[in-house]
Amino acid sequence: AQSENILGYFVNVERIPNSCSHQPNHISLKDRKILVNLSMAYYRVNISAYNEAGESPRAIYIVPEFSATDLPGQIHVKSQGPNAVVTWTPEYNPKCFVVDWGTGKEDMHMKIITTATGNFTLDNFQPYMLYKIMVHASDVCQCESFIRHEKTFGVTHFYFVEGVPRTGPANVTVLNITKHSALVKWTEIAAEDRLGFLQGYRISYTDSSTKKSPAVTLNSSITSYHLTGLKEKTTYRVQISGFTNAGEGPRTLSQPFSTPKYGTVELLCICITQHES
């Protein structure tokens, strides 16, 4: 019943972060949809309805992250003392670049660069934390014009200091056990526990005599491995760890599992021979 009295909607599109003192773009419209061209920066959209009595409370919508594909430029970041230096080679020379960096939409910093230097020094980095760095190009450098004119040039991720993973992979399970093989599956190490760029996993196993197998190194995208060459009627335990450029993290141990004495198609036959008297 209240919606029949609605005269229109107010939409505010606010960039995150917004180091400018200007208010976010204030749009008034009658329809319940709006098309805006945005860069890959974070944006907050505030929507409210209004009628003759006034304006409703605002609904807040955070624009989801875009996939960083087919961007025109490459960004390179390297540590330099207590700071990090960002470099890029622009495809063209816009009037300014806007650099965003931080650990997420609640912790982003912004800097406008009007000189064509192709590099920028960032600070306030913490070790073992994953940072997102975005460089946007704009031919209009007034704060209120970024939403309409800003185009993302490149995106990269960066650890100021990498550490080893604080945990091993979770939910290690062993399936499809035969007399000579088994399938091991696990859940990847959570992003917040990696403390660096995860390079891969190392998997090994020990038998009941505590003899350890050589470790196998796997790609970080792999979350299962087929063990072969196992002995029949033997108890094993699998160990899996993740590693970054800083080294190997703690190992996760599976529950012990035992290979059977016989395969699925093997039969144990007891033969009785009858002798004539």
Side-chain angles (χ1 to χ4, degrees):
Q2 291 294 331
S3 64
E4 295 178 0
N5 300 319
I6 291 177
L7 299 177
Y9 300 90
F10 292 129
V11 178
N12 289 337
V13 182
E14 183 180 5
R15 192 186 190 282
I16 308 172
N18 184 9
S19 62
C20 309
S21 58
H22 301 89
Q23 293 297 317
N25 283 24
H26 192 71
I27 304 167
S28 178
L29 66 160
K30 303 294 184 182
D31 295 332
R32 287 184 294 171
K33 61 182 179 180
I34 182 173
L35 176 64
V36 290
N37 293 320
L38 303 176
S39 71
M40 292 179 65
Y42 293 107
Y43 287 91
R44 180 189 296 113
V45 181
N46 303 305
I47 305 172
S48 61
Y50 68 90
N51 59 18
E52 293 180 353
E55 184 178 351
S56 73
R58 293 180 177 182
I60 299 175
Y61 175 74
I62 303 297
V63 177
E65 291 190 47
F66 296 99
S67 176
T69 57
D70 298 326
L71 295 177
Q74 294 290 325
I75 303 174
H76 305 281
V77 190
K78 65 177 181 179
S79 301
Q80 190 175 84
N83 303 320
V85 177
V86 182
T87 58
W88 63 87
T89 304
E91 294 290 315
Y92 63 99
N93 292 316
K95 290 187 177 179
C96 62
F97 285 99
V98 183
V99 179
D100 293 328
W101 74 101
T103 58
K105 59 180 175 290
E106 303 301 329
D107 175 42
M108 294 298 290
H109 308 276
M110 171 185 171
K111 181 70 175 181
I112 303 170
I113 303 173
T114 56
T115 56
T117 57
N119 68 74
F120 181 59
T121 300
L122 307 177
D123 54 14
N124 294 322
F125 285 98
Q126 299 296 321
Y128 318 132
M129 298 186 70
L130 179 62
Y131 288 87
K132 185 176 184 179
I133 300 174
M134 297 179 280
V135 176
H136 317 279
S138 179
D139 285 324
V140 179
C141 299
Q142 287 76 28
C143 288
E144 67 272 17
S145 300
F146 284 145
I147 292 177
R148 294 191 297 273
H149 297 280
E150 184 179 72
K151 296 180 180 180
T152 301
F153 171 77
V155 177
T156 192
H157 292 83
F158 171 69
Y159 281 95
F160 184 65
V161 176
E162 287 195 66
V164 302
R166 76 172 108 219
T167 65
N171 303 318
V172 178
T173 55
V174 183
L175 309 167
N176 304 341
I177 302 169
T178 71
K179 62 188 291 188
H180 295 305
S181 67
L183 177 65
V184 184
K185 291 188 174 183
W186 61 92
T187 303
E188 65 180 7
I189 299 175
E192 62 269 18
D193 293 326
R194 297 176 183 180
L195 308 186
F197 290 113
L198 189 66
Q199 301 298 310
Y201 296 99
R202 292 193 177 103
I203 180 170
S204 62
Y205 58 86
T206 55
D207 59 23
S208 49
S209 66
T210 67
K211 182 179 179 181
K212 186 178 179 181
S213 70
V216 176
T217 300
L218 304 172
N219 189 286
S220 61
S221 63
I222 295 174
T223 55
S224 66
Y225 184 71
H226 195 227
L227 299 176
T228 58
L230 304 180
K231 300 176 186 176
E232 61 186 46
K233 202 178 179 181
T234 305
T235 300
Y236 291 95
R237 198 165 192 181
V238 176
Q239 307 172 63
I240 309 177
S241 61
F243 64 93
T244 66
N245 290 322
E248 186 176 352
R251 298 170 183 169
T252 299
L253 297 178
S254 73
Q255 292 295 321
F257 69 95
S258 297
T259 54
K261 183 176 181 179
Y262 301 104
T264 55
V265 296
E266 293 182 88
L267 296 174
L268 175 62
C269 213
I270 301 176
C271 298
I272 301 174
T273 303
Q274 185 176 16
H275 297 278
E276 294 182 359
S277 55

